């Protein structure tokens, strides 16, 4: 396995290696990321994992500085999982000058939910993902694997790839959960022991919401408000708990449709903001 830090070294390492598959990450890899790596491995001739904590997608008050950076441990895991190249640029490598050109996603899709509570987040994500795609694929074809936990993110990236006609297949991998149902996330490491024990309540709330949303004649807006209130009563600070159509993340007209819907949630428990979703 090769560890490279610059785009030039990455391109040199990829020379003559065939069709790449890419798993973009911000590092601090857990079993969920490693599942993406396992899924990506047979999808190309050479597997690249990128590790870069992207300042552009953090708001000033968010956890950019404290985001866990564990490159050595990440590399050991990646080596054990058959990764061929780790691309771990420094900020100066990836953004040698201020990144004043950015990729602005469709506001219809990107300004709601995560984009509403984290303004600019998807511009930061699309800008770095476009740059990673150009670094790895350089205009030729390949595959990139993203986790479904960031549900809206993979939809925004799919739309970006489609509209820019990038020759890249986007594969969405299932959410990896702990045995008690908590979706794996690097931010879970911020939880105290008691918060960790409580953290499955977000997933439980989404399960209840998705079941109730299928009852004939339900008022979805009321259900969502009740679900948020129930979480608040347990000490959470929810940003949203909502039922949307999978096709465009808009609220369904009337009741939710089975197999076409997704319940999405984001909520803070103490200092930790968790997100999760459930297709139903
Ligand atoms: O999902 C993530 O970890 C990040 O948003 C990504 C796609 C690596 C871009 O920085």
């Amino acid at each position: 396995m090769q560890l490279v830090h610059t785009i030039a070294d990455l391109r040199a390492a990829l020379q003559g290696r065939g069709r790449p598959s890419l798993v973009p990450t911000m590092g601090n890899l857990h079993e969920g990321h490693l599942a993406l790596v396992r899924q990506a491995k047979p999808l190309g001739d050479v597997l690249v994992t990128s590790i870069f904590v992207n300042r552009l997608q953090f708001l000033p008050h968010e956890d950019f500085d404290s985001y866990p950076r564990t490159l050595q441990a990440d590399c050991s895991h990646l080596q054990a999982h058959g990764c061929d190249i780790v691309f771990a640029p420094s900020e100066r490598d990836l953004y040698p000058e201020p990144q004043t050109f950015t990729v602005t996603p469709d506001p219809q899709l990107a300004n709601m939910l995560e984009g509403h509570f984290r303004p600019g987040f998807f511009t930061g994500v699309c800008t770095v993902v476009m740059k990673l795609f150009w670094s790895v694929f350089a205009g030729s074809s390949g595959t990139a694997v993203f986790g479904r936990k960031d549900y809206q993110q993979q939809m925004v990236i799919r739309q970006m790839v489609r509209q820019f006609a990038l020759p890249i297949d986007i594969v969405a991998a299932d959410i990896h959960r702990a045995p008690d149902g908590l979706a794996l996330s690097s931010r879970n490491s911020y939880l105290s022991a008691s918060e960790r024990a409580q953290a499955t309540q977000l997933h439980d709330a989404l399960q209840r919401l998705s079941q109730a949303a299928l009852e004939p004649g339900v008022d979805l807006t009321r259900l969502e408000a009740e679900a948020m209130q129930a979480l608040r009563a347990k000490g959470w600070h929810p940003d949203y708990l909502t039922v949307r159509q999978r096709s465009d993340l808009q609220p369904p007209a009337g009741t939710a449709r089975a197999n076409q819907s997704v319940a999405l949630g984001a909520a803070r428990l103490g200092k930790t903001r968790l997100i999760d979703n459930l297709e139903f």
Side-chain angles (χ1 to χ4, degrees):
M1 188 180 81
Q2 276 172 279
L3 170 62
V4 296
H5 298 287
T6 66
I7 296 175
D9 286 349
L10 172 65
R11 288 183 174 153
L14 283 166
Q15 202 65 39
R17 304 278 295 268
R19 201 174 179 269
S21 54
L22 169 68
V23 180
T25 80
M26 298 205 299
N28 192 231
L29 303 183
H30 50 65
E31 198 36 54
H33 294 112
L34 298 174
L36 303 185
V37 169
R38 285 194 292 274
Q39 192 160 343
K41 180 75 182 164
L43 300 179
D45 303 310
V46 53
L47 172 60
V48 182
T49 304
S50 64
I51 297 181
F52 181 67
V53 185
N54 174 38
R55 187 188 290 276
L56 296 189
Q57 69 190 73
F58 287 78
L59 287 169
H61 66 272
E62 291 184 335
D63 55 342
F64 175 77
D65 288 328
S66 57
Y67 199 88
R69 288 156 172 88
T70 52
L71 183 60
Q72 234 182 335
D74 292 346
C75 285
S76 316
H77 291 308
L78 289 172
Q79 177 131 39
H81 281 74
C83 177
D84 299 301
I85 301 173
V86 179
F87 177 44
S90 68
E91 277 202 282
R92 204 133 53 93
D93 292 323
L94 206 61
Y95 299 131
E97 57 185 281
Q99 186 71 32
T100 49
F101 277 79
T102 54
V103 180
T104 310
D106 177 358
Q108 272 281 98
L109 181 59
N111 285 5
M112 61 172 133
L113 305 172
E114 283 305 284
H116 176 76
F117 287 96
R118 304 182 70 192
F121 170 70
F122 286 118
T123 297
V125 168
C126 287
T127 302
V128 79
V129 169
M130 180 67 101
K131 204 153 182 176
L132 292 170
F133 282 177
W134 269 99
S135 305
V136 171
F137 302 108
S140 68
S141 65
T143 303
V145 181
F146 291 83
R148 256 204 199 89
K149 185 169 85 66
D150 297 289
Y151 199 88
Q152 190 180 4
Q153 171 173 279
Q154 51 93 21
M155 286 184 70
V156 168
I157 287 167
R158 249 180 227 291
Q159 197 182 35
M160 176 179 88
V161 163
R162 202 172 59 240
Q163 290 197 6
F164 283 109
L166 303 179
I168 299 166
D169 294 326
I170 301 299
V171 172
D174 288 342
I175 299 180
H176 217 83
R177 296 186 182 278
D180 65 357
L182 177 67
L184 297 194
S185 160
S186 297
R187 291 192 168 99
N188 292 351
S189 64
Y190 301 159
L191 297 166
S192 69
S194 65
E195 288 168 346
R196 172 62 189 83
Q198 228 192 307
T200 54
Q201 289 167 346
L202 178 59
H203 178 234
D204 299 342
L206 291 174
Q207 269 181 325
R208 278 196 298 275
L209 179 60
S210 57
Q211 277 156 16
L214 291 175
E215 299 288 331
V218 288
D219 176 348
L220 278 183
T221 312
R222 214 193 67 212
L223 270 189
E224 291 171 358
E226 284 170 1
M228 303 244 294
Q229 190 45 43
L231 264 193
R232 266 187 217 105
K234 293 177 175 145
W236 291 72
H237 299 275
D239 283 343
Y240 58 85
L241 280 181
T242 186
V243 171
R244 298 296 169 106
Q245 304 174 156
R246 285 190 216 173
S247 54
D248 56 6
L249 292 188
Q250 290 296 323
T255 48
R257 297 213 176 148
N259 303 317
Q260 295 180 37
S261 307
V262 56
L264 303 118
R268 258 182 311 110
L269 184 58
K271 292 196 309 288
T272 311
R273 185 174 184 277
L274 299 178
I275 63 171
D276 200 352
N277 66 78
L278 208 63
E279 288 186 319
F280 66 98

